[in-house]
Amino acid sequence: MPVFEPVDTSLKFPEAEAKIAALWKDQDVFQQSLKLREGRPTWVFYEGPPTANGRPHPGHVLTRVVKDLFPRYKTMRGFRVPRKAGWDTHGLPVEIEVEKELGLSGKGDIEKYGVIPFVRKCMESVFKYTADWENLTEKIGFWIDLKDAYVTYHQSYVESVWWSLKKLFEKDLLYKGHKVLPCCPRCQTALSSHEVGLGYKDVEDPSVFVTFRAEDWEASKTSFLAWTTTPWTLPSNAGLAVKADTEYAHVKVGDETLIMAAALVEPVMGKLKHEVVKSEPGSALVGRRYLPLFDWWKGAPGEREKAWKVCAAEFVTLDTGAGIVHIAPAYGADDYALGQREGLPVIHLVGPDGRLKPDCGAFAGAYFKDADKDLIKDLRDRGLLLKRENYKHPYPHCWRCDAALILYAREGWFIRTTREIGRVIENNKKIQWLPEHIRDGRFGNFLETNIDWALSRERYWGTPLPIWVSEDGAHMEAVESLKDLAGKPGVEGLDAFEKAQAADPGLNTHLRVHKPWIDAVTYLAPDGKQRMKRTPEVIDCWYDSGAMPFAQWGYPHAQGSLDQFTQAFPADFISEAIDQTRGWFYSLLAESTLLFDSAPPPHPFKTCVVLGHVCDEKGEKMSKSKGNYIDPFGILAEEGADALRWFFYSSNHPWTSSRFSRGNVREAQKEFLLKLRNVYSFFVIYANIDGFDPSGGRGPDFQRYRRGGRPLPERGQLDRWILSELHQTTSGVRQRLDDYDIYGSAQQLNAFCESLSNWYLQRSRERFWRPWRGEDRLHDDDKDKLDAYWTLFECLVNFAKLIAPFVPFTADELWQNLVRRPLGNAGAPVPKPSDSGATVVNLDKFARVPESVHLADYPTADPQAVDCALGEEMALVREIVSLGRNVRAAQKLKVRLPLAKVVLVLADAEKTDIVRGHEEVLREALNVKQVEFARMAEQYVSYKVQPNFKLIGAKYRDLVPKIKQALKDANASHLKGKFDSDGCCVLRVDQKDVLLNQEEVEITIQAKEGYAAAGGRGAVVVLDTHLTPELEAEGFARELVNRIQNARKDLDLKYEQRINLAVKGSPRMEEVARAFGEYIRRETLATELRVGEMPEGWRTFDVDAEKEIGTLGLLAE
RNA sequence: GGGCUCGUAGCUCAGCUGGUUAGAGCGCGUCCCUGAUAAGGACGAGGUCGGCUGUUCGAAUCAGCCCGGGCCCA
C-alpha cells in the first residue's frame, strides 16, 4: 500500500468535496472545532437571518462564503467561534407570497379568507425553501449551527422583542404619530415601495402657479408665488418653503407684488408685463406669515397659529415652479418631515377614500382627482391664480386597481430615533467598516438625515406590537411577555390560544404570541372601568432582525440568557450586502444604541464587511425575469464549492460588484486549484515511487535520518528560497486576514502557488527523478533528494493550513492524504513549526494529529526562515531566465538545444557574486554550458542614467527637469564609470555644480541591437549562439529522449517502469544514440539500449527528429 | 433631483499616502517545454488611465467641473 493515496487528476472536484463533506459529518468536525477551543476567548459572529421563502441565489453564496471565511480563520487562530444560525420569518414579503399562492388580493380578501388560516399559511411558507438553503449551506461548506437556529416567530424571540419595545416605551422612545405613505384610495391600503414601483405611469396633470397673500395683504398687496401639480392638496396647505441661500425677487405685476425666486422670474413671467422692484435672500422670508387659500380648516385651539408660515427647506429646487413650494404635511413625505421640524399642523381635508371632507364647503365629497378642475376655477375667480399649464410626469398608480395613488399621512407607531441619533452616529464612528467610505458615506449620510422609525404595520404576520390601550385611548402600557400579561388585573382571553389548540392540535405553540390570538387578551385599565386592548398593528420585520443580539437568546426571560447575551455582545464581525445599510445594519445599530446605554461603543458589531452585488457577465443585476440568472447549484454540481468560493475571494474586493459566470469561476479554478492539485499530485507520484514517508516508520530507509530533513542552513538555495516564500506568505496572509482583506490574502496565496509550481517544482524536478545513490542514503545527492521531499512536503502541509479557511475541501483533502494517512496513527506526531528556526519541520515537536485540517492551528511565520535577500536574488535570477528564454525564442533556438555560454551584464555589477551563486540553476534553466559575467560590456549594452525622482524631487524641486535633461545629454557610459569608481558624479546644471550620489540615480541597461540579447531592468542577457558538433549532438540526444518519453506515454507505462530500448535509423541518429547511450538510458529508465537493431515483438515507433528518420523499439521489463 | 460608488488593454480586475517605461489573469498571435500530461511555460500585439481645467519640478493617483454606468433615496 502506498504511503499516499494516488491523486486522481481526472476526478471531478464535486466528488472529492462530497467525500470531505461526509468526513466532516461523520466526525462532526464543526462541533469538534468548537469543543477544541473550549475555555479560549470567544470571537463573536452574528448571522444576519435570511428569509427562506425564496430560493438562494448567487448573492447569497457570496455572503455565505465571506461569513464562513473569518470564523474558520479565527477558530484556527485559537478562538472559540460559535455560529448560531437564524431565520427571518416575518413581514410583508411573506404575506404577499401567501396572498399570491391563495389568489387573494388585499386586506379585505385576507379578512374574508380568515386571519387564522392566513397566519398559519404564512408560518408554513416561511420554510418552504429551507431544504434548498440547508443544501446550499452544506454544499458550499458554510459551517453554521442550523440545529440551534434562532427563529424570529418563536415565542421566546417575540417576547425578547417585546421586552425591548417596553424598554423603549418607558424611555418615551416609542410613540404614536403620523407617516406619509402612498395609499390606494380605492383599496384603502398603504402600498409598500416595491408595490409603488410596479405602477408608475406617465400622466398629464394641471400645474398651477398660485398666489398666497401675505398677512399684511390689505396694506402691501404682496403675495408669495408657489407652484404645484396637485391642486387638491391646496386646501390642506400648512406652509410655504423657500431655499434659504437663494435670492428672491419682488415682482410688480399690475398693482400687486409677487415674491418668487429671482432666477425664475423670466421663465415664469414670460411675456407678462412685470418689473422687479427688489430682492432679498430666502432666509429673510423665513417666518413670514400668509393667509390660507381656503379657510376651511379650523383646527384645535392654538393650532391655527402654527399654520401658514414660510419655512426654509433643503429640498426646494429652482428647476421648475417659482422657487417657493407649497407644503401640505398630510400629503407628502418631505412636507410631513418639514412640518414636523417646523411645528406645522397636519391638515387633513381629504379622507382615506380620496374624497374631500365635509368641511370643504361646496367641494365636500368630491374625488380628489376630479376636484382639481373646480378648485382651479375657484382660485382663478378669486384672483389667486397666476397661470395654469399642463405638466407631464410619471405618477404612481395602484398596481391592482389602477387608481392614482395619494400620499397620505397615516397614524402609526414610531421609534423616536431622532432623539438619540447623536449617540447612534457616535457609535457608528467607532465601527470598522469595509470599505471605509460606508461609515461616513452611504451609512453616515443616512444617519445624518435620520427620521423617526416607522415601526408599525397594519398587517397580520409579524411580531405584534405589545402595547395595550384603554378604550378611550388615555392609558397605554407596554407588555414584555405573556407572563407579564398574566399578572395584569382582570386579565381575560389568555386561554384563547389553548382553546384553539385543543380544537386543532396541529396549531403551533409559538403562535400563541401572534395575531389574532394575542388580540383576544384584555385586562382592566388603571381606572378600574375600561378594558385594555392591544393596538392591532404588528411591527416592521427589520426590528426583529435588529433585535437578534439579545433576542436570539430569549434575553432577558430565558434561563441563562444573561450570560449568553453578555458573552456574545458585541459581535466582532458581521457581513452582509450593501442593501442592508438601511436594513439590518441600521436596525442593529439603532436598537443597540437605544437599548444599551452603558455599553461602550462600538456595539453591537465592531467590524462590518459590506458586500457588493453579484451581477451577470455583462455587469447587470441578475434577475429571473431578465433570464440572466445563473443558478449556483449548477456551478456547485459541476465546478464545485471551492471553485465557487475561490472565485469570490480572488476575483476582486468583496465590496465591488462581481461579474459572475461559469467561465469566470472556471478561470479562478484553473489558476489556483488546478495548479495546486498538479503540484500535490506530482509530490504524491514521486513520494510513492521513492517510498518517502514522513512518519519515518515504514522500512529502514529513513531511520538513519533526522526526521524532517536537514536543518535549514544545510539545505540548498531553492529549498531555502521556497521556504522563505512560504513563511513570508504565512505572515502576509495572517496580517491581511487580521485586517479583513480577503482579496489581498487571496493574491498572496495565488502568488505562492505560482512560485511553488512554476519555479520551485520546475527547477527541482531532477531531484525527484534522480535515483537514490546508496541504500544508506548518506550520499550528498540522497540527502539533497530527501531535502526536496521534506521541503515540498512542508510547503504543501503548511499551505493546506493556510488555505483551509478559503477552500476548506481542497485543504482537508490534502491534509487527509499528506498528514492523516501517514501520521494519523495514535501517538504519531503532527508537523509543527519549531520556534528555533534550526529546522523548519521538526518532527520531534509533533503532537497529536488532528482529524481535520480545520482542527489544526493556523501556521505561524518563523522569521528565521525568512530570507529577504534570497528572495530578491531569486527574483533577479528568474528575470534573467525569462530574458534568456526571450532570446532563445527570438533566435529560434529550442531550450533542448544546449548552448556554449550565456553572458550576463548586470545593471548592478555588485550583484555578480550573488548571481554566480545561482549559476547551476541558470545553467539548467537556460540549458547552457557556461555562465559568464561581463563587467564593461559596452559591445553588448548601452546604459541609461535617470534620476531617482523621489530623492531628487525632494531635494532639487524645480531643478528636476534640468537634471533629467543633463543626465540624458551626458555620456551614459562615462557617467556609469564615474559612479563605479567614485560612487558619485558632478553635473553642470544651470551654471551650478550638482553632486549626485549613487542612490540619487537609477542606472539601467539596454541590449544593443544586433546581438542575441535581451534586456530588462536588472540585467542584459546575451546568448552565444555559436553551435559546435558536440552541442548539436547533445541537443539531438535530448530530442531522442523526448521521443522515447512520448513513446512511454503512448504505452501508458508507469512512471517507474523500466524498459528495454532499441534505436535504429539514420547513421547520425545511431551515432548519437551510441555516444549518449548512458544519458538516454538514465533519462528513460532503460535497462538496455540496443542501437542499430530492432528485436522481434517490441513495440515500435517511427521517429523524426531534426530531419533524421528512424525507429524506436520499446519493451517493458 | 440628491447621496454614495465606479470609469485603467478586447474581457475581468490590480495599482498604498503623486515620482516619469501603468501591471496581472483570460482571450488573441507566435513559439517552447513535457517522467505534473484533458497540465505547464515564454514572448508579442493591444492603453489619449472617461473628458476638460487646475495644483505641482512631476498626476492614473490630489482638487474642481463635466460625461457615462451602477446602487440607494426622492
Short mmCIF file of all heavy atoms in Angstrom, two decimals, chain A residues 807-846:
data_model
loop_
_atom_site.label_atom_id
_atom_site.label_comp_id
_atom_site.label_asym_id
_atom_site.label_seq_id
_atom_site.Cartn_x
_atom_site.Cartn_y
_atom_site.Cartn_z
N VAL A 807 -10.57 27.53 0.98
CA VAL A 807 -11.06 26.38 0.22
C VAL A 807 -11.01 25.15 1.12
O VAL A 807 -10.09 24.34 1.04
CB VAL A 807 -10.24 26.18 -1.08
CG1 VAL A 807 -10.66 27.20 -2.12
CG2 VAL A 807 -8.75 26.29 -0.83
N PRO A 808 -11.98 25.04 2.02
CA PRO A 808 -11.90 24.07 3.10
C PRO A 808 -11.87 22.62 2.62
O PRO A 808 -11.32 21.76 3.29
CB PRO A 808 -13.15 24.34 3.94
CG PRO A 808 -14.08 25.06 3.04
CD PRO A 808 -13.22 25.83 2.08
N PHE A 809 -12.47 22.36 1.46
CA PHE A 809 -12.50 20.99 0.97
C PHE A 809 -11.12 20.56 0.46
O PHE A 809 -10.57 19.54 0.89
CB PHE A 809 -13.54 20.85 -0.14
CG PHE A 809 -14.95 21.10 0.31
CD1 PHE A 809 -15.53 22.35 0.14
CD2 PHE A 809 -15.69 20.11 0.93
CE1 PHE A 809 -16.84 22.59 0.56
CE2 PHE A 809 -16.99 20.34 1.36
CZ PHE A 809 -17.56 21.58 1.17
N THR A 810 -10.58 21.35 -0.46
CA THR A 810 -9.26 21.05 -1.01
C THR A 810 -8.24 20.94 0.12
O THR A 810 -7.41 20.02 0.13
CB THR A 810 -8.84 22.17 -1.98
OG1 THR A 810 -9.85 22.32 -2.96
CG2 THR A 810 -7.52 21.84 -2.63
N ALA A 811 -8.31 21.88 1.05
CA ALA A 811 -7.34 21.89 2.14
C ALA A 811 -7.40 20.58 2.93
O ALA A 811 -6.38 19.99 3.26
CB ALA A 811 -7.60 23.08 3.06
N ASP A 812 -8.61 20.15 3.20
CA ASP A 812 -8.73 18.93 4.00
C ASP A 812 -8.37 17.69 3.18
O ASP A 812 -7.87 16.70 3.73
CB ASP A 812 -10.13 18.80 4.60
CG ASP A 812 -10.09 18.36 6.06
OD1 ASP A 812 -8.96 18.26 6.61
OD2 ASP A 812 -11.15 18.13 6.65
N GLU A 813 -8.61 17.76 1.89
CA GLU A 813 -8.20 16.64 1.04
C GLU A 813 -6.69 16.45 1.11
O GLU A 813 -6.18 15.34 1.28
CB GLU A 813 -8.65 16.92 -0.40
CG GLU A 813 -8.53 15.72 -1.32
CD GLU A 813 -8.78 16.09 -2.78
OE1 GLU A 813 -9.47 17.09 -3.04
OE2 GLU A 813 -8.24 15.38 -3.64
N LEU A 814 -5.97 17.54 1.00
CA LEU A 814 -4.51 17.47 1.12
C LEU A 814 -4.12 16.96 2.51
O LEU A 814 -3.23 16.11 2.64
CB LEU A 814 -3.90 18.86 0.89
CG LEU A 814 -3.33 19.15 -0.49
CD1 LEU A 814 -4.44 19.16 -1.53
CD2 LEU A 814 -2.60 20.48 -0.51
N TRP A 815 -4.77 17.51 3.49
CA TRP A 815 -4.45 17.15 4.88
C TRP A 815 -4.68 15.66 5.12
O TRP A 815 -3.83 15.00 5.72
CB TRP A 815 -5.33 17.98 5.81
CG TRP A 815 -5.08 17.73 7.28
CD1 TRP A 815 -5.78 16.90 8.09
CD2 TRP A 815 -4.05 18.30 8.07
NE1 TRP A 815 -5.27 16.92 9.35
CE2 TRP A 815 -4.20 17.77 9.37
CE3 TRP A 815 -3.01 19.21 7.82
CZ2 TRP A 815 -3.36 18.13 10.42
CZ3 TRP A 815 -2.19 19.56 8.86
CH2 TRP A 815 -2.35 19.03 10.14
N GLN A 816 -5.81 15.16 4.68
CA GLN A 816 -6.12 13.76 4.91
C GLN A 816 -5.07 12.85 4.29
O GLN A 816 -4.62 11.89 4.91
CB GLN A 816 -7.51 13.41 4.33
CG GLN A 816 -8.67 14.12 5.00
CD GLN A 816 -8.74 13.88 6.50
OE1 GLN A 816 -8.37 12.82 7.00
NE2 GLN A 816 -9.18 14.88 7.25
N ASN A 817 -4.66 13.19 3.09
CA ASN A 817 -3.74 12.30 2.39
C ASN A 817 -2.29 12.50 2.82
O ASN A 817 -1.56 11.53 3.01
CB ASN A 817 -3.87 12.51 0.88
CG ASN A 817 -3.28 11.36 0.09
OD1 ASN A 817 -3.04 10.26 0.62
ND2 ASN A 817 -3.03 11.59 -1.18
N LEU A 818 -1.90 13.75 3.00
CA LEU A 818 -0.49 14.03 3.28
C LEU A 818 -0.16 13.88 4.76
O LEU A 818 0.97 13.56 5.11
CB LEU A 818 -0.13 15.45 2.84
CG LEU A 818 -0.26 15.74 1.35
CD1 LEU A 818 0.12 17.18 1.06
CD2 LEU A 818 0.62 14.78 0.54
N VAL A 819 -1.14 14.11 5.62
CA VAL A 819 -0.84 14.14 7.05
C VAL A 819 -1.56 13.01 7.79
O VAL A 819 -0.93 12.20 8.46
CB VAL A 819 -1.22 15.50 7.66
CG1 VAL A 819 -0.86 15.53 9.15
CG2 VAL A 819 -0.49 16.62 6.93
N ARG A 820 -2.88 12.99 7.64
CA ARG A 820 -3.63 11.97 8.39
C ARG A 820 -3.21 10.56 8.02
O ARG A 820 -3.04 9.70 8.87
CB ARG A 820 -5.13 12.12 8.12
CG ARG A 820 -5.83 13.15 8.94
CD ARG A 820 -5.83 12.87 10.41
NE ARG A 820 -6.62 11.71 10.80
CZ ARG A 820 -6.66 11.21 12.02
NH1 ARG A 820 -5.93 11.76 12.97
NH2 ARG A 820 -7.40 10.17 12.29
N ARG A 821 -3.07 10.32 6.72
CA ARG A 821 -2.81 8.95 6.27
C ARG A 821 -1.48 8.42 6.79
O ARG A 821 -1.47 7.37 7.44
CB ARG A 821 -2.88 8.91 4.75
CG ARG A 821 -2.89 7.51 4.16
CD ARG A 821 -3.09 7.62 2.66
NE ARG A 821 -2.51 6.49 1.99
CZ ARG A 821 -3.22 5.51 1.45
NH1 ARG A 821 -4.53 5.57 1.49
NH2 ARG A 821 -2.62 4.51 0.86
N PRO A 822 -0.38 9.14 6.58
CA PRO A 822 0.87 8.59 7.11
C PRO A 822 1.07 8.82 8.60
O PRO A 822 1.76 8.06 9.25
CB PRO A 822 1.95 9.33 6.31
CG PRO A 822 1.31 10.59 5.88
CD PRO A 822 -0.15 10.31 5.71
N LEU A 823 0.49 9.88 9.15
CA LEU A 823 0.84 10.26 10.52
C LEU A 823 -0.31 10.12 11.50
O LEU A 823 -0.17 10.45 12.67
CB LEU A 823 1.32 11.72 10.56
CG LEU A 823 2.52 12.04 9.67
CD1 LEU A 823 2.72 13.54 9.57
CD2 LEU A 823 3.78 11.39 10.22
N GLY A 824 -1.44 9.65 11.00
CA GLY A 824 -2.64 9.72 11.82
C GLY A 824 -2.77 8.66 12.89
O GLY A 824 -3.67 8.73 13.72
N ASN A 825 -1.88 7.67 12.90
CA ASN A 825 -2.00 6.63 13.92
C ASN A 825 -1.76 7.22 15.30
O ASN A 825 -1.08 8.22 15.45
CB ASN A 825 -0.98 5.51 13.67
CG ASN A 825 -1.19 4.91 12.31
OD1 ASN A 825 -2.32 4.75 11.87
ND2 ASN A 825 -0.10 4.63 11.62
N ALA A 826 -2.36 6.57 16.27
CA ALA A 826 -2.25 7.06 17.64
C ALA A 826 -0.79 7.26 18.00
O ALA A 826 0.06 6.43 17.69
CB ALA A 826 -2.88 6.07 18.59
N GLY A 827 -0.53 8.38 18.59
CA GLY A 827 0.82 8.64 19.06
C GLY A 827 1.74 9.20 18.00
O GLY A 827 2.83 9.67 18.30
N ALA A 828 1.32 9.17 16.76
CA ALA A 828 2.19 9.70 15.72
C ALA A 828 2.22 11.22 15.82
O ALA A 828 1.28 11.83 16.29
CB ALA A 828 1.69 9.27 14.35
N PRO A 829 3.31 11.79 15.41
CA PRO A 829 3.47 13.24 15.57
C PRO A 829 2.77 14.04 14.47
O PRO A 829 2.47 13.51 13.42
CB PRO A 829 4.97 13.43 15.48
CG PRO A 829 5.44 12.30 14.61
CD PRO A 829 4.48 11.16 14.78
N VAL A 830 2.55 15.28 14.77
CA VAL A 830 1.97 16.17 13.77
C VAL A 830 2.97 17.28 13.48
O VAL A 830 3.65 17.76 14.37
CB VAL A 830 0.65 16.78 14.30
CG1 VAL A 830 0.88 17.63 15.52
CG2 VAL A 830 -0.04 17.58 13.23
N PRO A 831 3.12 17.61 12.23
CA PRO A 831 4.11 18.66 11.91
C PRO A 831 3.77 19.97 12.59
O PRO A 831 2.62 20.36 12.63
CB PRO A 831 3.98 18.81 10.39
CG PRO A 831 3.30 17.59 9.92
CD PRO A 831 2.45 17.11 11.05
N LYS A 832 4.75 20.57 13.12
CA LYS A 832 4.54 21.83 13.82
C LYS A 832 5.81 22.63 13.64
O LYS A 832 6.90 22.08 13.82
CB LYS A 832 4.33 21.51 15.30
CG LYS A 832 3.64 22.61 16.07
CD LYS A 832 3.37 22.10 17.46
CE LYS A 832 3.15 23.22 18.43
NZ LYS A 832 3.14 22.75 19.80
N PRO A 833 5.71 23.86 13.26
CA PRO A 833 6.95 24.60 13.05
C PRO A 833 7.70 24.76 14.36
O PRO A 833 7.09 24.96 15.41
CB PRO A 833 6.47 25.96 12.53
CG PRO A 833 5.00 25.91 12.47
CD PRO A 833 4.51 24.64 13.08
N SER A 834 8.99 24.64 14.31
CA SER A 834 9.76 24.82 15.53
C SER A 834 9.91 26.31 15.76
O SER A 834 9.74 27.11 14.87
CB SER A 834 11.14 24.22 15.38
OG SER A 834 11.93 25.06 14.57
N ASP A 835 10.24 26.66 16.98
CA ASP A 835 10.47 28.07 17.21
C ASP A 835 11.95 28.41 17.12
O ASP A 835 12.33 29.55 17.17
CB ASP A 835 9.88 28.51 18.56
CG ASP A 835 9.86 27.38 19.56
OD1 ASP A 835 10.84 26.59 19.55
OD2 ASP A 835 8.89 27.29 20.32
N SER A 836 12.76 27.39 16.98
CA SER A 836 14.19 27.67 16.92
C SER A 836 14.63 28.14 15.55
O SER A 836 15.57 28.89 15.40
CB SER A 836 14.97 26.41 17.27
OG SER A 836 14.89 25.51 16.18
N GLY A 837 13.94 27.69 14.55
CA GLY A 837 14.34 28.06 13.21
C GLY A 837 15.45 27.19 12.66
O GLY A 837 15.85 27.31 11.51
N ALA A 838 15.96 26.34 13.50
CA ALA A 838 17.05 25.48 13.06
C ALA A 838 16.55 24.52 11.98
O ALA A 838 17.17 24.36 10.93
CB ALA A 838 17.60 24.69 14.23
N THR A 839 15.42 23.91 12.23
CA THR A 839 14.78 23.15 11.18
C THR A 839 13.37 23.66 11.09
O THR A 839 12.79 24.08 12.08
CB THR A 839 14.73 21.65 11.52
OG1 THR A 839 13.98 21.51 12.70
CG2 THR A 839 16.07 21.04 11.63
N VAL A 840 12.86 23.63 9.91
CA VAL A 840 11.55 24.22 9.74
C VAL A 840 10.47 23.20 10.05
O VAL A 840 9.48 23.50 10.66
CB VAL A 840 11.42 24.81 8.34
CG1 VAL A 840 10.05 25.43 8.18
CG2 VAL A 840 12.47 25.88 8.15
N VAL A 841 10.73 21.99 9.60
CA VAL A 841 9.83 20.94 10.06
C VAL A 841 10.59 20.17 11.13
O VAL A 841 11.63 19.61 10.85
CB VAL A 841 9.47 19.97 8.93
CG1 VAL A 841 8.71 18.78 9.49
CG2 VAL A 841 8.63 20.68 7.90
N ASN A 842 10.12 20.20 12.30
CA ASN A 842 10.80 19.48 13.35
C ASN A 842 9.84 18.46 13.93
O ASN A 842 8.94 18.78 14.68
CB ASN A 842 11.26 20.47 14.43
CG ASN A 842 12.01 19.76 15.52
OD1 ASN A 842 11.98 18.51 15.60
ND2 ASN A 842 12.67 20.51 16.36
N LEU A 843 10.05 17.23 13.51
CA LEU A 843 9.07 16.22 13.87
C LEU A 843 9.15 15.82 15.34
O LEU A 843 8.25 15.18 15.85
CB LEU A 843 9.23 14.99 12.98
CG LEU A 843 8.88 15.26 11.51
CD1 LEU A 843 9.09 14.02 10.69
CD2 LEU A 843 7.48 15.75 11.35
N ASP A 844 10.23 16.21 16.00
CA ASP A 844 10.32 15.87 17.41
C ASP A 844 9.26 16.62 18.21
O ASP A 844 8.90 16.22 19.30
CB ASP A 844 11.70 16.24 17.96
CG ASP A 844 12.75 15.41 17.27
OD1 ASP A 844 12.40 14.33 16.74
OD2 ASP A 844 13.91 15.85 17.21
N LYS A 845 8.82 17.70 17.66
CA LYS A 845 7.86 18.51 18.40
C LYS A 845 6.42 18.14 18.05
O LYS A 845 5.50 18.85 18.41
CB LYS A 845 8.08 19.99 18.09
CG LYS A 845 9.40 20.49 18.61
CD LYS A 845 9.28 21.96 18.92
CE LYS A 845 10.39 22.38 19.88
NZ LYS A 845 10.10 23.64 20.50
N PHE A 846 6.29 17.12 17.28
CA PHE A 846 4.95 16.76 16.84
C PHE A 846 4.05 16.38 18.01
O PHE A 846 4.46 15.77 18.97
CB PHE A 846 4.99 15.60 15.86
CG PHE A 846 5.44 16.01 14.50
CD1 PHE A 846 5.96 17.26 14.27
CD2 PHE A 846 5.37 15.12 13.45
CE1 PHE A 846 6.40 17.64 13.02
CE2 PHE A 846 5.79 15.50 12.19
CZ PHE A 846 6.31 16.75 11.98
#
